[in-house]
Amino acid sequence: MKAAFFFITMSFGFLISCGESNQKDIEKSMVDSNTESQTFVRATSEGTMSAGYFTYTNSLSEPDTLFSVSSKVARMTESHETYTTADGLSGMREVKEIPVAAGDSIQFKPGGLHIMFMRLTQDLAHGDSVEVELSLKKAGKVNVTLPVQ
Amino acid sequence: MKKLILLFLPVLLLSCGPDVKVIDDLNDKSFTLVNQENQPFTFPDDFKGQYVVLGFIYTHCPDVCPIITNNLKKMQEEMGFPSDVHFAEITFDPDRDTPEVLKAYKEIYKLNENFTFLTGQPEIISETMDSLRVRSQVSMSTTTEEGKELYFVNHSDKIMVLDKDSRVVLEYGGSMTPISYIIEDLNKIRL
C-alpha cells in the first residue's frame, strides 16, 4: 500500500513538472543579437532611415544638456527614443533635450535612446563611418565618429 | 499495485511528449501576398510542412525592427540553418515596403534563401495582421521639404512560431527575448 501511495504521489509530481509552460518569463530588455559593439550606425540604403548608438560622457564639472544632433549622411537627424505606448505598442518619439549630470553619461543603445538618421543621402555599408555633431549647452559642439555595422 | 502502475503509466508517457499549446490555428486562413522577389505567396499555406519563425517589421524602422531581424538571423545561424525551419518577416507598411525595398533590406542583412520577406496589397496585409493579432498605427506623419510624406508606425513587437500545420504554437516579445529561449522552446516541439 505504501508503494502504491509513493507511486501515485510521484506520478502527480511528474505530471505537474511536465505540464510546465514552454513560454518563459522574459526579462524585459532589448536584445540585439547581431551587434557585437554598442557603438555603431546600422547599415542601410539611401533614402531610408538608420540609427546610431554610442555613449556620451559629460566630462565637465557641471550639468549639461544635449539639444541638437546633425550629420551630413541624412536630411534630418534627431535624438529619438523607443518606448512602449499605453496600449502596449512599440513606438518612437523625438527627445528634444537630454540632460546629463556632471561626470554622468548619455547612453544611446538599441531599444532606447538613439540618433535617428532620416532620409539618408547615401548608402551606409559595413566598414563606412558616420560623423555626428552633437550640440550641448555647456560643452558646445562635439563630434563623434561611428562605424557602420 | 500492478493494476495501479498499469493505469498510470500510459498517462505519464503521454503527458511528457512535446508540450505544444496551440495559440492560434491559421488553417482556415489564406492570404495572397508577394515575396521579396515579387512572386505570389499564399500565407500560411505555402509554409506548410515547415516550422516558421515569423517576425513583423517595417524597413523605415531603424531601431526595434532591425533588432527583430537580427534576432531571427542569429537564431537561424545558431540552429545551424535547419532545413525544416523557415524564417520570415511580414511588413505592416506595404505602401513603402515594396518587394524591391524588401529585397534590398534582405541583401543588407545577408539573409539566405530560407528567409522570406512578405508584403502585399494594404487591405490584404491588414487582414493578415488582424488574423495574427499584430497591431500597427501611424504615429507621426509629416511632409518633407520635397513634398514627400514621412511617417513612423507604432507596432506590436512580436516573434511567433508556426508549426508544420500552420498553427501558432509559440509567441514572444520580438526584440526583448533572448534567442536562446526561443531556440530551446522550438527544439522541444520539433518532431
Side-chain angles (χ1 to χ4, degrees):
Chain A
M1 189 60 197
K2 278 183 182 174
F5 178 75
F6 176 76
F7 182 77
I8 292 168
T9 306
M10 289 299 288
S11 298
F12 278 113
F14 198 49
L15 287 171
I16 289 166
S17 69
C18 287
E20 189 178 319
S21 167
N22 52 15
Q23 294 264 18
K24 295 181 174 61
D25 291 331
I26 304 301
E27 186 182 341
K28 190 174 171 63
S29 61
M30 297 284 178
V31 182
D32 194 343
S33 53
N34 218 47
T35 47
E36 293 169 4
S37 165
Q38 292 292 296
T39 300
F40 68 100
V41 173
R42 290 193 190 282
T44 188
S45 51
E46 181 184 350
T48 62
M49 309 200 196
S50 184
Y53 309 98
F54 63 100
T55 298
Y56 172 78
T57 300
N58 177 14
S59 56
L60 303 178
S61 56
E62 58 183 335
D64 206 348
T65 301
L66 175 66
F67 66 93
S68 177
V69 292
S70 64
S71 177
K72 289 178 181 173
V73 302
R75 291 188 175 85
M76 291 170 68
T77 307
E78 296 175 350
S79 295
H80 277 218
E81 68 173 351
T82 291
Y83 73 108
T84 302
T85 64
D87 57 351
L89 298 180
S90 178
M92 221 173 18
R93 61 189 171 199
E94 184 184 4
V95 182
K96 291 189 180 297
E97 293 198 338
I98 306 173
V100 54
D104 211 347
S105 298
I106 304 170
Q107 286 193 319
F108 294 91
K109 59 182 182 181
L113 279 172
H114 53 275
I115 303 295
M116 181 80 176
F117 303 101
M118 290 175 278
R119 300 168 58 230
L120 293 170
T121 56
Q122 63 185 76
D123 290 343
L124 297 180
H126 293 262
D128 290 347
S129 61
V130 172
E131 288 193 12
V132 184
E133 185 180 82
L134 313 177
S135 297
L136 295 113
K137 287 182 178 174
K138 300 287 172 51
K141 305 281 188 192
V142 176
N143 290 305
V144 295
T145 301
L146 307 173
V148 176
Q149 288 180 6
Chain B
M1 177 62 191
K2 279 181 183 173
K3 283 180 183 174
L4 264 175
I5 292 173
L6 288 172
L7 185 70
F8 273 86
L9 202 56
V11 180
L12 286 177
L13 292 173
L14 286 171
S15 68
C16 287
D19 182 14
V20 180
K21 179 184 174 186
V22 177
I23 300 168
D24 276 322
D25 190 339
L26 303 179
N27 265 295
D28 60 340
K29 312 286 187 201
S30 184
F31 303 102
T32 303
L33 306 176
V34 288
N35 66 15
Q36 75 282 343
E37 304 296 337
N38 206 16
Q39 297 163 333
F41 192 99
T42 305
F43 176 83
D45 309 43
D46 287 352
F47 281 136
K48 271 194 176 170
Q50 291 178 296
Y51 292 96
V52 184
V53 182
L54 188 60
F56 307 92
I57 59 147
Y58 72 112
T59 63
H60 278 69
C61 162
D63 190 43
V64 167
C65 301
I67 295 174
I68 296 170
T69 302
N70 278 333
N71 281 347
L72 262 60
K73 179 182 180 181
K74 196 71 177 176
M75 268 189 76
Q76 191 183 33
E77 289 170 358
E78 292 200 1
M79 293 179 75
F81 299 95
S83 59
D84 63 329
V85 183
H86 200 93
F87 293 80
E89 292 188 323
I90 308 178
T91 178
F92 33 64
D93 185 16
D95 289 333
R96 290 185 294 191
D97 286 342
T98 61
E100 295 74 23
V101 169
L102 292 175
K103 187 174 182 178
Y105 185 85
K106 178 175 175 173
E107 286 169 0
I108 286 167
Y109 283 86
K110 298 180 171 63
L111 301 168
N112 72 2
E113 70 285 350
N114 212 23
F115 204 123
T116 299
F117 286 86
L118 296 172
T119 185
Q121 294 297 318
E123 61 274 19
I124 306 285
I125 286 290
S126 180
E127 290 170 15
T128 308
M129 293 300 175
D130 285 349
S131 77
L132 293 164
R133 294 169 292 102
V134 173
R135 295 179 295 141
S136 62
Q137 58 189 40
V138 173
S139 60
M140 185 219 80
S141 181
T142 186
T143 305
T144 67
E145 295 159 358
E146 298 85 20
K148 289 186 176 179
E149 189 185 12
L150 178 69
Y151 59 90
F152 299 121
V153 180
N154 289 347
H155 55 88
S156 300
D157 176 10
K158 196 182 273 190
I159 288 175
M160 56 179 61
V161 175
L162 277 57
D163 69 6
K164 291 181 175 181
D165 296 319
S166 302
R167 302 178 304 174
V168 179
V169 290
L170 298 170
E171 199 169 292
Y172 307 86
S175 63
M176 63 187 73
T177 307
I179 60 168
S180 59
Y181 287 12
I182 309 176
I183 293 171
E184 185 185 332
D185 290 345
L186 177 52
N187 283 338
K188 278 182 193 167
I189 62 169
R190 280 168 75 193
L191 298 174

